[in-house]
């Protein structure tokens, strides 16, 4: 089942989400539905506040061939470096921005079996994780962006990058 995506400036997107205290059947169903919703919108990540659930949960799939990453109660444990790149968000259609993020991160999280993992990520993958984790604290990329762009400006920016 697909969920409707909560759109900016809905107050739900600004709220700090609650920790998951138990992995229930409802939570597992929600994870499946979040993935379906993300794929239906051609997204690479979706956080629970974006479907109206104030919970510290996110799903991520940077590439169709990647495994689905499900983050429950993720915590940032280490980070280094900084890069600036383009971001977009399913909750803010048509808006793009240049956003500084840590280059490399280590996070700790639980999966749907309740097993705790530590994960190291860099580049684009690390960027998606940071974007989704921001959602859990009520953060949006437009608040961190050093420059906001329309779709037209973003396409132009990408073309200039390729011509460099
Ligand atoms: Zn987003």
């Amino acid at each position: 089942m697909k969920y409707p995506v909560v759109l900016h400036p809905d107050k739900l997107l600004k709220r700090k989400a609650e920790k998951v205290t138990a992995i229930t059947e409802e939570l597992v169903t929600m994870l499946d539905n979040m993935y379906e919703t993300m794929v239906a919108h051609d997204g690479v990540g979706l956080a629970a506040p974006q479907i109206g659930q104030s919970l510290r949960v996110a799903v991520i799939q940077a590439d169709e061939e990647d495994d689905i990453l499900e983050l429950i109660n993720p915590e940032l444990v280490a980070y280094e470096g900084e890069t600036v790149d383009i971001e977009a968000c399913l909750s803010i259609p048509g808006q793009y921005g240049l956003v500084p993020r840590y280059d490399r991160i280590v996070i700790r999280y639980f999966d749907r079996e309740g097993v705790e993992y530590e994960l190291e990520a860099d580049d684009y993958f690390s960027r998606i994780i940071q974007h989704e984790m921001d959602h859990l604290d009520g953060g949006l990329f437009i608040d961190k962006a050093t420059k906001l762009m329309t779709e037209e400006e973003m396409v132009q920016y990408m073309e200039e990058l390729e011509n460099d």
Side-chain angles (χ1 to χ4, degrees):
M1 191 191 84
K2 282 183 295 240
Y3 298 116
V5 175
V6 174
L7 297 178
H8 173 69
D10 196 307
K11 270 191 245 137
L12 277 174
L13 296 171
K14 287 281 174 193
R15 209 201 291 172
K16 189 175 160 75
E18 305 284 329
K19 267 198 170 171
V20 171
T21 52
I23 294 174
T24 58
E25 221 170 285
E26 286 79 17
L27 184 80
V28 169
T29 304
M30 186 184 90
L31 281 163
D32 290 339
N33 290 340
M34 281 174 67
Y35 178 71
E36 202 180 319
T37 306
M38 180 189 85
V39 169
H41 288 88
D42 286 323
V44 290
L46 187 72
Q50 292 181 278
I51 52 132
Q53 293 295 320
S54 191
L55 287 170
R56 305 189 76 78
V57 170
V59 296
I60 291 170
Q61 192 182 39
D63 188 278
E64 259 175 52
E65 281 158 27
D66 292 348
D67 290 336
I68 305 162
L69 177 64
E70 295 177 339
L71 303 177
I72 299 172
N73 296 344
E75 303 268 4
L76 186 66
V77 291
Y79 57 86
E80 65 176 18
E82 193 189 88
T83 51
V84 175
D85 209 342
I86 288 185
E87 282 184 33
C89 181
L90 293 182
S91 293
I92 318 171
Q95 181 79 78
Y96 299 81
L98 289 177
V99 185
R101 296 282 184 193
Y102 302 127
D103 205 18
R104 199 179 173 79
I105 57 168
V106 179
I107 60 162
R108 220 171 269 152
Y109 66 97
F110 292 89
D111 74 355
R112 62 165 70 196
E113 314 291 340
V115 179
E116 192 176 24
Y117 288 92
E118 200 168 273
L119 174 74
E120 217 179 290
D122 57 12
D123 297 330
Y124 183 53
F125 187 40
S126 153
R127 175 169 297 273
I128 303 168
I129 294 172
Q130 290 172 73
H131 177 117
E132 298 314 326
M133 283 177 68
D134 266 6
H135 274 300
L136 308 183
D137 289 321
L140 297 172
F141 84 90
I142 50 173
D143 303 324
K144 280 192 176 166
T146 52
K147 183 179 159 65
L148 290 174
M149 291 186 262
T150 62
E151 181 155 9
E152 212 171 47
E153 288 166 330
M154 183 273 292
V155 170
Q156 201 179 348
Y157 175 84
M158 297 297 276
E159 279 170 4
E160 279 167 19
L161 273 189
E162 275 169 33
N163 293 334
D164 266 352

